[in-house]
Amino acid sequence: MVERLSAEARKAAFKELSGWSEVSGRDAIARTFTFKDFNEAFGFMARVAVVAEKSDHHPEWRNVYKTVEVVLSTHDADGVTQRDVDLAKAMNTIAGQLGQS
Amino acid sequence: MVERLSAEARKAAFKELSGWSEVSGRDAIARTFTFKDFNEAFGFMARVAVVAEKSDHHPEWRNVYKTVEVVLSTHDADGVTQRDVDLAKAMNTIAGQLGQS
């Protein structure tokens, strides 16, 4: 069982999570990624999907052409856990490699 | 320039579009696909992405684990066109092959 992050742990995690913000009215974190085009946006999603499946922790995400809106939260813990922070970091890394704007 | 479907053409198209419905308050069509798991849901998205890119007509879609919520509308025409109907049909075919439940 993964536990929700304490306020302190969350604060520390956020310092390393460029571009992410807290979702209002819900214990979750979100980021919108904008790419060059659909090809790049979906390429991002494909790479993240493999990471998500491997770690058995999946995003909620919405894609419209070149944008990908992501919300992360851990269902089992009913809030943000280290698993969300890890997936958010992986997404930032992948997006960085793809030249996310 | 693709034109919005007439009421008659839309009615005819809907007869062949199993599972799709009109979006309230917006000229768009929608369907939620439910698969066995994330692997299958994302496999569906990957196959649809290739079709969408080839025809240069892209869906708005949201994925949460094994579900994929899709909204189709043609931006240039500000409403539903034959391009949406074609993409919707392609999605139904792909989902059918994957055993969408």
Side-chain angles (χ1 to χ4, degrees):
Chain A
M1 183 71 182
V2 191
E3 291 196 0
R4 286 171 63 179
L5 290 184
S6 66
E8 204 166 88
R10 180 189 291 239
K11 202 173 168 185
F14 255 103
K15 279 190 187 158
E16 296 174 43
L17 283 182
S18 167
W20 291 80
S21 59
E22 311 223 24
V23 175
S24 128
R26 188 177 160 196
D27 192 354
I29 58 175
R31 179 172 179 183
T32 297
F33 295 90
T34 306
F35 297 93
K36 195 180 64 185
D37 51 26
F38 177 77
N39 183 302
E40 207 168 86
F42 199 81
F44 165 76
M45 293 180 77
R47 289 191 60 188
V48 170
V50 175
V51 171
E53 188 71 345
K54 191 174 179 184
S55 61
D56 196 24
H57 188 57
H58 305 85
E60 296 172 29
W61 48 5
R62 177 168 179 266
N63 161 240
V64 180
Y65 196 55
K66 66 180 182 177
T67 67
V68 183
E69 298 168 20
V70 183
V71 175
L72 299 179
S73 183
T74 303
H75 187 77
D76 289 346
D78 199 26
V80 176
T81 68
Q82 188 60 43
R83 304 183 73 188
D84 300 303
V85 173
D86 292 345
L87 185 53
K89 278 184 191 167
M91 284 187 171
N92 279 8
T93 300
I94 293 169
Q97 288 165 354
L98 287 167
Q100 191 259 166
S101 62
Chain B
M1 183 69 182
V2 192
E3 291 197 359
R4 285 171 63 178
L5 290 184
S6 65
E8 204 166 88
R10 181 189 289 240
K11 203 173 168 185
F14 256 104
K15 281 191 186 156
E16 296 174 43
L17 282 182
S18 166
W20 291 78
S21 59
E22 310 221 27
V23 175
S24 127
R26 188 178 161 197
D27 192 355
I29 57 175
R31 179 172 178 183
T32 298
F33 295 90
T34 305
F35 297 93
K36 194 179 66 183
D37 51 26
F38 177 78
N39 183 301
E40 207 169 85
F42 199 81
F44 165 77
M45 294 179 77
R47 289 191 59 188
V48 170
V50 175
V51 171
E53 188 72 344
K54 190 172 178 186
S55 61
D56 196 23
H57 188 57
H58 305 85
E60 297 173 27
W61 49 4
R62 179 168 178 267
N63 161 240
V64 181
Y65 196 55
K66 65 180 181 176
T67 67
V68 183
E69 298 168 19
V70 183
V71 175
L72 300 180
S73 184
T74 303
H75 188 76
D76 290 346
D78 200 24
V80 177
T81 68
Q82 188 59 43
R83 304 183 73 187
D84 300 302
V85 174
D86 292 345
L87 185 53
K89 278 184 192 167
M91 285 187 171
N92 279 6
T93 300
I94 294 169
Q97 288 165 354
L98 288 168
Q100 191 258 166
S101 61

